[in-house]
């Protein structure tokens, strides 16, 4: 049982480049989300989805896009990378949002934008 | 805006000590409070608390919630070096549909 799988583990981008962080889960979870973790800031919600075809913004959505075409996959797209997007990104999923059932996290993607 | 404050920010203890980690919160409509442990990679779930005064326990770890005073504590007894990690507290607000607000965490280091 793989749980939540994120790829890549590490990525270096130049300012202005675009890329997609991949996230897949095999637990049939309806709820998926993306967080970024920065020193002294805790985990901040970027975007989330309560089911296939449904997405919504979190606390810090600017500069990121998401889509949810299947239950399993929830990719995060950086449209034009900026140094402020240097961070560790975590994908997380659960049965019914983080309020009623705990989130299961992937191992993270460490992104550096130069 | 929902707010979660954890204290202390960091802590160094000797193996065998007992530690108490604190989490205070401000939310409009409280739903749940969760504790996670983060070692080098993904945060892993420890406890979910929804009712005041009911202790959740797992081995040497325990946690309790006080909804009147708006805080929770996480206790670790007889600490071991494997307990070294960042401990994260998060709260859910029923008014913000599926969004958790995380604190910045407490970094615990257990030394021999």
């Amino acid at each position: 049982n793989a749980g939540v799988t994120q790829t890549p583990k590490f990525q270096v981008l130049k300012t202005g480049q675009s890329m997609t962080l991949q996230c897949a889960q095999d637990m049939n979870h309806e709820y998926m989300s993306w967080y970024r973790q920065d020193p002294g800031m805790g985990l901040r919600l970027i975007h989330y989805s309560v089911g296939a075809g449904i997405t919504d913004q979190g606390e810090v959505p600017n500069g990121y896009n998401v889509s949810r075409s299947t239950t399993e996959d929830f990719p995060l797209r950086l449209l034009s990378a900026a140094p402020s997007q240097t961070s560790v990104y975590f994908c997380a999923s659960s049965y019914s949002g983080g309020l009623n059932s705990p989130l299961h996290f992937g191992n993270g993607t460490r992104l550096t934008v130069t | 805006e929902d707010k979660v404050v954890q204290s202390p920010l960091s802590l160094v203890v000797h193996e065998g000590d007992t530690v108490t980690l604190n989490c205070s919160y401000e939310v409009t409509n409280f739903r749940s409070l969760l504790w996670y442990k983060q070692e080098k990679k993904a945060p892993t779930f420890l406890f979910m608390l929804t009712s005041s005064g009911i202790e959740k326990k797992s081995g040497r770890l325990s946690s309790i919630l006080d909804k009147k005073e708006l805080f929770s504590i996480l206790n670790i007894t007889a600490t071991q070096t494997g307990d070294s990690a960042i401990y994260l507290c998060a709260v859910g607000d029923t008014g913000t549909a599926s969004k958790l607000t995380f604190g910045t965490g407490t970094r615990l280091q257990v030394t021999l």
Side-chain angles (χ1 to χ4, degrees), chain B residues 25 51-53 65-71:
Chain B
Y25 61 89
S51 302
S52 277
L65 174 67
D66 186 328
K67 290 167 71 174
K68 182 180 177 184
E69 300 297 329
L70 308 182
F71 77 91

Side-chain angles (χ1 to χ4, degrees), chain B residues 21-101:
Chain B
L21 310 183
N22 303 295
C23 176
S24 63
Y25 61 89
E26 296 174 20
V27 297
T28 307
N29 298 293
F30 177 87
R31 180 64 173 266
S32 56
L33 184 145
L34 297 94
W35 285 97
Y36 287 85
K37 177 183 181 182
Q38 184 176 23
E39 296 176 84
K40 293 187 177 178
K41 294 183 177 178
T44 54
F45 171 73
L46 294 175
F47 299 111
M48 176 183 281
L49 302 151
T50 57
S51 302
S52 277
I54 298 174
E55 185 183 50
K56 291 282 184 93
K57 195 170 174 66
S58 176
R60 296 176 293 102
L61 278 67
S62 63
S63 183
I64 197 161
L65 174 67
D66 186 328
K67 290 167 71 174
K68 182 180 177 184
E69 300 297 329
L70 308 182
F71 77 91
S72 173
I73 60 172
L74 175 68
N75 279 323
I76 309 175
T77 59
T79 52
Q80 302 172 356
T81 55
D83 296 326
S84 296
I86 298 173
Y87 290 84
L88 300 168
C89 173
V91 293
D93 181 337
T94 58
T96 55
S98 303
K99 297 179 188 179
L100 283 179
T101 300

Side-chain angles (χ1 to χ4, degrees), chain A residues 36 38 44 64 81-87 89 113:
Chain A
R36 60 177 289 174
D38 303 291
R44 292 183 292 168
Y64 308 96
S84 60
Q85 294 179 304
T86 293
S87 187
Y89 291 85
V113 182

Side-chain angles (χ1 to χ4, degrees), chain A residues 9 31 35 37 40-45 48 50 56-59 90 96-108, chain B residues 1 31-32 34 36 38 40-45 48 50 86 88 91-94 96-105:
Chain A
K9 293 182 181 178
Y31 179 88
Y35 287 85
Q37 187 174 35
M41 300 291 290
L43 284 159
R44 292 183 292 168
L45 182 64
Y48 67 98
V50 297
D56 207 345
Q57 295 182 350
E59 182 185 354
F90 288 99
S96 59
L99 306 188
N100 300 319
S101 58
L103 291 172
H104 297 260
F105 286 86
N107 282 331
Chain B
E1 183 178 320
R31 180 64 173 266
S32 56
L34 297 94
Y36 287 85
Q38 184 176 23
K40 293 187 177 178
K41 294 183 177 178
T44 54
F45 171 73
M48 176 183 281
T50 57
I86 298 173
L88 300 168
V91 293
D93 181 337
T94 58
T96 55
S98 303
K99 297 179 188 179
L100 283 179
T101 300
F102 281 83
T104 55

Side-chain angles (χ1 to χ4, degrees), chain A residues 9-52:
Chain A
K9 293 182 181 178
F10 302 94
Q11 183 70 51
V12 179
L13 291 178
K14 293 185 178 179
T15 298
Q17 287 184 316
S18 63
M19 79 158 296
T20 299
L21 306 185
Q22 302 292 344
C23 176
Q25 53 90 11
D26 61 1
M27 297 174 283
N28 203 31
H29 286 168
E30 290 295 324
Y31 179 88
M32 296 185 74
S33 55
W34 277 101
Y35 287 85
R36 60 177 289 174
Q37 187 174 35
D38 303 291
M41 300 291 290
L43 284 159
R44 292 183 292 168
L45 182 64
I46 305 172
H47 285 285
Y48 67 98
S49 168
V50 297

